Amino acid sequence: MKILTNEVKIALAAIAGIVILFFGLQFLKGLTIFSSDENYYARFNDVSGLSASSPVYANGYKVGVVQKILYDYARPDNIVAVIGLDKDLHVPKGTRAEISSDLLGNVKLELKFGPNPVDLMAKGDTIEGGMASGLMGKAANMIPQIEVMLPKLDSILASLNTLMQDPAIKNSLHNVDDITANLNATTKELNQLTAQLNRQMPQMLGKVDGVLTNTEGITRQLNDLDMAATMQKVDRTMANIEQTTAKLNSNEGTLGLLMRDPGLYLNLNATMRSADSLLIDLRQHPKRYVHFSVFGKKDK
């Protein structure tokens, strides 16, 4: 009698298929087939989106998976998630488990380690959990503020529409076009002026060099002057001027007497008046002084 009949072979194949399917499902869920993870417990009051096989991350690296979720019907706010963590992972006390989701809706559990890396939690300890304030959470928190701002935005848009319909705004825009055209023309003129200055700059620099050369020559001539001899000449000239001034102030010499003696001035003045009177009389009565005779002098 054969032991491995067709029926037995079919049964064994079915059992093997069921086992392979089971472990395959476990693998697809992210659960380790031959688990060597250490189990911890995370307490939540809300596990929205979290389920068994959800990954557990620490600092962006996958360190475990959620094994199962235990719901306490007596205490609905006490939901416990059993998480399996890598046995090499050290969990400090004060670590927090936060549920977060990305933009695609994928939910994961993130571990926020406590401050003291030396004081560690033991296997099977309970980690406090909560919801992470990610991008979606921040966006949800902003919704009330946005609702408050919407009426103000409507009034602002209405005011902008009214303002844009004002003809003065259109005229201002036309003026802006004119100003832009003028600025463009001014820019072109400035460019032309700059180009002209660039062309004339070598000549200007040459003239400046010439002026500097002349200045250097004058400076050299001044340096070559014998300042001591020049100052001696100036001193002698000043001494002569002082002597002349002293003589003029004294009673010596004609100029000194003329400046200092009033009698000489009066005599000279009287002499000039007499000469003036003589000249006047000579013009008026020339016969008194000059006698002409064609036939000779008559005897008186």
Side-chain angles (χ1 to χ4, degrees), residues 171-189:
N171 296 329
S172 299
L173 293 176
H174 290 300
N175 293 332
V176 169
D177 293 335
D178 296 337
I179 293 171
T180 303
N182 293 331
L183 288 175
N184 291 329
T186 304
T187 303
K188 291 181 181 179
E189 293 178 356

Side-chain angles (χ1 to χ4, degrees), residues 145-218:
Q145 299 177 0
I146 295 174
E147 290 178 351
V148 173
M149 293 175 61
L150 284 177
K152 297 181 180 179
L153 291 175
D154 291 337
S155 62
I156 291 172
L157 291 176
S159 301
L160 287 176
N161 291 329
T162 304
L163 182 62
M164 294 303 295
Q165 292 175 359
D166 190 352
I169 298 296
K170 296 181 180 179
N171 296 329
S172 299
L173 293 176
H174 290 300
N175 293 332
V176 169
D177 293 335
D178 296 337
I179 293 171
T180 303
N182 293 331
L183 288 175
N184 291 329
T186 304
T187 303
K188 291 181 181 179
E189 293 178 356
L190 287 175
N191 292 332
Q192 294 176 359
L193 179 61
T194 303
Q196 185 177 1
L197 288 175
N198 290 331
R199 290 193 298 269
Q200 295 179 357
M201 188 61 66
Q203 299 177 359
M204 296 173 63
L205 292 177
K207 293 181 180 179
V208 172
D209 292 337
V211 172
L212 292 177
T213 302
N214 294 332
T215 304
E216 291 178 356
I218 294 172

